[in-house]
Amino acid sequence: MKKRKFMALTLSCVMVCTLAACGGKDAGADQTAANPAPAEKTETPAETPDAEKPADTQASAEAPSDAAQAADITLWTYPIGSWGDSATVDGLIANFNAVYPDIKVTVEYLDYTNGDDQINTAIEGNQAPDIVLEGPERLVANWGAKGLMVDLSDLWTDEAKSLIYDSVQSACRNNDGVFYEYPLCMTAHTMAINRDIFEAAGALEYLNEETGTWTTENFQKAVQAVYDYGQSNVGAVYCSGQGGDQGTRALVNNLYGGTFTNAEHTEYTANSDENIKALELLKSMDGINFDASIAGGDEINMFCNGTFAMAFCWNVSQEKNNLENINFEVLPMAFPSEDGVPKLCGGIWGFGIFDNGDPAKIQAAKTFIDFMANDEKQVVESVKASNYWPVKDLGNIYEGDELMTEYAKFVEYMGDYYQVVGGWAEARTAWWNMLQQIGSGSEVKTAVEEFVTTANTAAAAQ
């Protein structure tokens, strides 16, 4: 059976720390603090007088329409926790229809292999979904930047802005202040190690199990110890595609304090001396291989089956989804940094609406989003279905959940959410191409400069 240490840390305490750790739009990746939102505020929407609503259900005071509206809308959702599970989503929609019985919601389930292609094909055929559940890199920086999305500023009431963390707000709007996403949940991506192998190799001394942190120097020592123990594949810089690229980006940026973009999110800066040094280190390390045959999902599978002793594409959902496939103790870890204080890539997920030219559908879609993300009772269920954390203080919604409590400590290490810079789709492709070049023997500096040129050209074109 898999072992687990209980971390005596409640989620509510961590979320207070998160308020101080997540900076706003002007906070660069080197900053770890910004103006905190008022921790004592909680969402208390007023009673609605609508007689059709069950007595035990309170819809948001800012609900944009009443239960009598009628529309057929489509929701396309990426596999964000159990939002990719039809039984779970059916239950969430049943809650919605108990309040809004005349809005029919049809769901399409996407994956990260073909999901973008499916949506792009639908756009080209004038059949785009009404609602998409995903992150700002798609909703804001891609489809929003192309003028395909509805401005959701009316959902961003003064109350909403007072409750939702500043860093999340800044990620959900473009540089002109237009909101293309209404957020639901967030997480901090981590890496993970096979604790059993590390213990057998005598490598646990190089990390702090309680905080889940380590230095770059100790990361090198630990990898070498595991390699010397006989584990030739300690970890892999996977690069067959963009899947899971948040892990390789975080690994490279953290090792020596590099950044991926500037603080204003207008330019790619991955060609810094710090990042070049990090890539050269990874290329030189025994046990770390650049593997052009796998992407993030493959790495996860190979970590879970014991092929790799560490995974760079990881978060709490990966452990939950693979519990039955793991026969060792997983120890989640932050990415190594010189001073042992990481800046993790964050994930933010929420709803966006494609502008399909039908005001009734748009209104119904806003009603659905408002209910899922703002209704006092429903929002807790909506967030818990994601297996992540709320974008506003809802208290400790995971009380008694040992696994969620353990991973909650990483949220305070969230760094800058830079995935909204222009040319993001092109930059992601250029990133894994660059890693392949390095793995096949190209000079690191030359490959990185080519990446930055390609990415900044794409950014300038938007």
Side-chain angles (χ1 to χ4, degrees), residues 179-222:
F179 286 99
Y180 290 122
E181 176 170 346
Y182 196 81
L184 176 67
C185 57
M186 59 188 282
T187 196
H189 296 296
T190 69
M191 59 177 293
I193 65 169
N194 181 323
R195 189 186 182 281
D196 296 0
I197 290 178
F198 269 62
E199 182 176 33
L204 289 178
E205 65 175 293
Y206 300 117
L207 53 89
N208 187 322
E209 290 191 67
E210 183 176 354
T211 63
T213 59
W214 47 0
T215 65
T216 298
E217 180 181 0
N218 282 335
F219 169 74
Q220 295 175 69
K221 292 178 179 178

Side-chain angles (χ1 to χ4, degrees), residues 231-268:
Q231 178 80 23
S232 59
N233 292 311
V234 183
V237 179
Y238 47 87
C239 49
S240 72
Q242 69 182 30
D245 57 356
Q246 74 277 355
T248 54
R249 285 185 271 113
L251 175 63
V252 172
N253 290 160
N254 271 279
L255 283 170
Y256 292 108
T259 59
F260 199 73
T261 74
N262 61 5
E264 297 77 24
H265 304 151
T266 58
E267 180 183 5
Y268 292 90

Side-chain angles (χ1 to χ4, degrees), residues 195-324:
R195 189 186 182 281
D196 296 0
I197 290 178
F198 269 62
E199 182 176 33
L204 289 178
E205 65 175 293
Y206 300 117
L207 53 89
N208 187 322
E209 290 191 67
E210 183 176 354
T211 63
T213 59
W214 47 0
T215 65
T216 298
E217 180 181 0
N218 282 335
F219 169 74
Q220 295 175 69
K221 292 178 179 178
V223 170
Q224 189 64 52
V226 173
Y227 179 80
D228 291 342
Y229 172 72
Q231 178 80 23
S232 59
N233 292 311
V234 183
V237 179
Y238 47 87
C239 49
S240 72
Q242 69 182 30
D245 57 356
Q246 74 277 355
T248 54
R249 285 185 271 113
L251 175 63
V252 172
N253 290 160
N254 271 279
L255 283 170
Y256 292 108
T259 59
F260 199 73
T261 74
N262 61 5
E264 297 77 24
H265 304 151
T266 58
E267 180 183 5
Y268 292 90
T269 58
N271 58 339
S272 66
D273 291 342
E274 294 85 356
N275 286 339
I276 291 172
K277 183 179 180 181
L279 285 162
E280 289 175 339
L281 172 66
L282 292 169
K283 188 176 180 180
S284 70
M285 291 177 66
D286 292 333
I288 302 294
N289 304 301
F290 284 69
D291 195 332
S293 68
I294 62 173
D298 306 302
E299 186 229 32
I300 291 168
N301 292 334
M302 296 172 80
F303 171 69
C304 292
N305 68 26
T307 302
F308 295 143
M310 62 173 59
F312 302 125
C313 183
W314 200 256
N315 57 44
V316 66
S317 283
Q318 302 304 342
E319 182 158 356
K320 282 197 168 190
N321 292 341
N322 288 283
L323 283 174
E324 295 181 357

